[in-house]
Amino acid sequence: MPMKVLPLLACALFANHAFAAPLTYEIDPTHTYPSFEADHMGLSVWRGKLNKNSGTVVYDKANGTGNVDVQMDLASIDFGLDAMNAWARGKDFFNAEKNPSASYKGRFDGATGGVPARLVGELTLNGKTRPLALTIHQLKCIPHPLHKRELCGADASGSFNREDFGLAAGKDWGFKMDVNLRIQVEAVATQ
C-alpha cells in the first residue's frame, strides 16, 4: 500500500468513528425481565419479576452516552404464587387498576472506554417519581444472528425504599422497606 494512502485511510476511519451517531434500540420484551427482591418480616426474601415491559435505549458506543426508558406493566407481576400476585395487583399494594405501570428513565454515566458504569435516573411507581441510580454490571453489543441488526444486552441493579413511593404495606409487622431492583435487558437496533 503506498505511503500516501495510509494517512488517508486513517483519517477516513477516524472520521467515521468520530461522527458515528447514537443508535436507538427497541427493548425485546421476551428477553427483558425487571426483577426484585423484598423482605418478608425479616424471615425470608420474596423474589418476583414483571413479565410485560417495553421501552427504548439510545446508546452511543463511541463515548458511552445515551438514555434508557423502560415501561413495566404492574399487572404482569409474578411471584410464582397466584395469591401473592393477585394481592400485589390489588388495592392494598400496587392498585394496578389505578396505577397500571411503573417506569425507569435514566441516562448513562461514568463511561470508561465507551462502556457506562451506571444509569442516573428516576423510578416512577405508585404515581410517585424518585431518583434512582443503577449500577451497570454488564453491557455488550453483538450482531443479531436473525435480524442482521445490532443487539445489545445489559444487566443493571440498584435499591430503593418502597415507603418513598407510598407502599408501606407490612411495615407494622416488621417488613423492611428496602427493595432490590435488577433489570436484565436485551434490545435490538431499530435500523
Side-chain angles (χ1 to χ4, degrees):
M1 189 174 287
M3 292 300 283
K4 291 182 182 178
V5 175
L6 287 176
L8 291 174
L9 182 58
C11 286
L13 289 172
F14 175 75
N16 190 29
H17 178 72
F19 297 109
L23 289 178
T24 299
Y25 301 82
E26 185 174 332
I27 289 176
D28 178 352
T30 64
H31 291 87
T32 300
Y33 293 99
S35 61
F36 54 89
E37 296 179 338
D39 175 67
H40 186 255
M41 296 190 294
L43 299 172
S44 62
V45 175
W46 280 89
R47 290 177 176 84
K49 62 181 181 166
L50 296 161
N51 290 324
K52 292 183 182 176
N53 54 78
S54 61
T56 57
V57 176
V58 176
Y59 181 42
D60 183 339
K61 290 191 312 184
N63 59 21
T65 60
N67 56 67
V68 173
D69 181 351
V70 181
Q71 302 296 315
M72 298 163 273
D73 179 354
L74 295 176
S76 73
I77 195 165
D78 185 358
F79 284 97
L81 178 62
D82 290 341
M84 187 68 180
N85 298 344
W87 176 84
R89 286 189 299 264
K91 64 178 177 56
D92 294 327
F93 200 68
F94 283 134
N95 195 1
E97 189 172 308
K98 181 180 175 189
N99 298 301
S101 65
S103 68
Y104 181 80
K105 296 179 182 183
R107 64 174 173 75
F108 292 122
D109 188 53
T112 303
V115 178
R118 66 189 156 274
L119 283 159
V120 177
E122 296 179 324
L123 176 65
T124 299
L125 180 64
N126 197 35
K128 297 176 178 20
T129 301
R130 302 287 184 263
L132 178 62
L134 299 177
T135 300
I136 297 174
H137 304 285
Q138 174 182 314
L139 190 153
K140 179 180 178 179
C141 298
I142 63 169
H144 194 292
L146 300 175
H147 300 299
K148 306 303 181 206
R149 290 175 289 176
E150 190 164 67
L151 169 68
C152 293
D155 178 42
S157 68
S159 63
F160 63 92
N161 184 313
R162 64 184 172 90
E163 190 173 19
D164 292 343
F165 295 89
L167 300 171
K171 183 177 181 180
D172 294 339
W173 299 329
F175 284 66
K176 296 174 188 168
M177 295 291 101
D178 293 327
V179 175
N180 294 322
L181 174 67
R182 191 158 202 136
I183 300 177
Q184 298 84 19
V185 61
E186 289 186 20
V188 180
T190 57
Q191 51 181 329

